[in-house]
């Protein structure tokens, strides 16, 4: 058996022990025993692929497994709160571990310069490919995570509260941008269907400005509510906002406008 074949076989045999020597996460990261076991298993799997590539002197035979490993590991890192740098440092550690192992085994296996070069040609493609795929998956998954978290926060920022069986109120506070306006439409519709109210008081007294796009979204919210039989009462419309709405030609037809929330509630005799 050639020296590189013996090295590959040794790495495959000792993969679990070698995986335990790697530090796959930040020292500040608190992982459960189950998560630690899964992380160690993932590390062991990659070591197995490297050992196989070295033994067979061909990194292509494990290429698909390495890509799948990197994809799965990238998703797992995001789910467990592992930083991107910590995940990539695992690959650097693994590269150094293999080279230290070569140095340790040099006297026993007596590698030639050609064999060391061939081993390197097997290690580097795997680590580089794993690094690229891991990074791509991590970034894509993290963006999805942030978008989902942002949507959840926005949903809480448009609270529809039932005042009685017929009337609900939606007080809006802060900037009303395009993204939040779209969430507003979705939440208002779903919540009104859930509450079965016939009237929704939409209070804008806490909204400093409304641009053209947001005004259009508000108009669509009102039209959508009308389709499900919900009447909209608009309150707290600041003079500057009212002027902007008129200037851009948006007409809130079929909707009652009241000066403030108190007036709207009194008019409904709640």
């Amino acid at each position: 058996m050639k020296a590189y074949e013996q090295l590959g076989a040794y790495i495959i045999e000792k993969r679990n022990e070698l995986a335990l020597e790697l530090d796959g996460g930040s020292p500040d990261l608190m992982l459960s025993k189950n998560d630690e076991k899964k992380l160690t298993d993932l590390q062991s799997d990659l070591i197995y692929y490297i050992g196989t590539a070295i033994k067979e002197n061909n990194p292509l035979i494990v290429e698909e497994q390495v890509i799948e490993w990197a994809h799965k590991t990238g998703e797992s890192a995001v789910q467990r709160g592992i930083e991107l740098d910590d995940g990539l440092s695992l690959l650097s550690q693994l590269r150094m571990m293999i080279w230290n192992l070569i140095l340790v085994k040099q006297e026993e296996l007596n590698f030639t310069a050609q064999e060391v070069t061939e081993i390197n040609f097997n290690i580097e493609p795997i680590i580089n490919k794993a690094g690229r795929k891991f990074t791509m998956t991590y970034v894509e998954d993290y963006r999805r995570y942030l978008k989902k978290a942002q949507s959840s926060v926005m949903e809480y920022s448009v609270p529809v509260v039932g005042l009685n069986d017929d009337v609900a109120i939606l007080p809006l506070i802060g900037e009303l941008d395009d993204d939040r306006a779209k969430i507003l439409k979705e939440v208002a519709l779903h919540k009104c269907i859930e509450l079965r109210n016939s009237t929704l008081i939409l209070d804008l007294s806490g909204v400093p400005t409304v641009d053209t796009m947001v005004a259009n979204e508000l108009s669509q919210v009102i039209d959508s509510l009308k389709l499900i039989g919900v009447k909209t009462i608009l309150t707290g419309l600041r003079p500057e906002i009212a002027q902007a709405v008129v200037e851009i030609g948006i007409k809130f037809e079929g909707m009652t406008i009241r000066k403030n929330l108190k007036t709207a509630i009194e008019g409904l005799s709640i």
Side-chain angles (χ1 to χ4, degrees):
M1 184 181 290
K2 295 181 179 179
Y4 65 78
E5 292 177 324
Q6 294 180 63
L7 176 65
Y10 177 84
I11 291 172
I12 292 172
E13 180 186 353
K14 299 294 184 180
R15 62 184 182 276
N16 292 330
E17 297 172 31
L18 294 172
L20 292 173
E21 297 179 18
L22 297 172
D23 178 18
S26 167
D28 298 326
L29 187 65
M30 300 298 292
L31 295 176
S32 66
K33 291 294 183 182
N34 186 47
D35 281 345
E36 287 181 357
K37 175 65 166 56
K38 289 180 178 178
L39 182 59
T40 301
D41 288 344
L42 284 171
Q43 294 169 175
S44 176
D45 288 343
L46 184 57
I47 293 171
Y48 172 81
Y49 299 142
I50 291 176
T52 301
I54 292 174
K55 182 181 178 183
E56 302 298 329
N57 196 25
N58 183 5
L60 295 178
I61 64 174
V62 294
E63 183 175 34
E64 290 185 7
Q65 294 98 312
V66 170
I67 291 174
E68 177 61 27
W69 176 92
H71 180 78
K72 181 168 60 177
T73 306
E75 291 182 335
S76 177
V78 173
Q79 293 169 5
R80 289 169 173 77
I82 297 174
E83 296 290 340
L84 178 59
D85 287 348
D86 290 328
L88 291 175
S89 73
L90 169 68
L91 299 176
S92 297
Q93 293 176 48
L94 185 52
R95 178 188 284 111
M96 291 302 300
M97 173 185 286
I98 300 298
W99 281 109
N100 286 333
L101 193 57
I102 291 172
L103 292 175
V104 170
K105 290 289 186 178
Q106 171 61 30
E107 183 175 345
E108 175 187 342
L109 301 178
N110 194 25
F111 299 109
T112 66
Q114 178 64 30
E115 286 175 326
V116 171
T117 301
E118 289 176 350
I119 291 171
N120 183 56
F121 284 160
N122 287 302
I123 296 172
E124 289 304 310
I126 292 176
I127 291 180
N128 291 338
K129 192 173 292 292
R132 284 194 299 271
K133 185 61 178 180
F134 173 85
T135 301
M136 289 172 58
T137 302
Y138 187 99
V139 171
E140 290 171 1
D141 217 55
Y142 193 68
R143 283 176 178 169
R144 284 194 292 268
Y145 168 80
L146 287 179
K147 188 173 182 180
K148 184 177 179 181
Q150 185 181 31
S151 295
S152 297
V153 171
M154 285 186 175
E155 287 182 16
Y156 284 115
S157 72
V158 285
V160 178
V161 181
L163 298 181
N164 59 26
D165 291 341
D166 297 321
V167 182
I169 180 174
L170 173 51
L172 294 175
I173 300 174
E175 294 291 338
L176 191 59
D177 58 18
D178 185 39
D179 289 335
R180 191 180 177 200
K182 290 177 181 177
I183 293 291
L184 162 64
K185 179 164 59 177
E186 182 179 340
V187 172
L189 283 170
H190 289 172
K191 196 65 178 179
C192 284
I193 291 173
E194 178 185 331
L195 294 174
R196 298 182 180 181
N197 56 290
S198 59
T199 302
L200 177 67
I201 301 175
L202 185 57
D203 182 46
L204 299 176
S205 57
V207 178
T209 59
V210 173
D211 62 19
T212 305
M213 191 171 294
V214 171
N216 275 303
E217 289 288 347
L218 284 174
S219 179
Q220 290 179 29
V221 170
I222 293 165
D223 289 342
S224 299
L225 288 171
K226 190 188 304 182
L227 290 175
I228 63 171
V230 177
K231 173 187 175 182
T232 303
I233 298 177
L234 192 63
T235 67
L237 198 61
R238 295 169 181 266
E240 57 270 26
I241 296 178
Q243 183 177 354
V245 168
V246 171
E247 287 178 354
I248 61 182
I250 294 178
K251 298 179 181 180
F252 294 126
E253 297 177 351
M255 176 192 59
T256 303
I257 298 178
R258 294 289 180 261
K259 181 178 180 180
N260 53 47
L261 186 57
K262 180 175 180 293
T263 306
I265 293 176
E266 287 176 348
L268 294 169
S269 300
I270 296 177

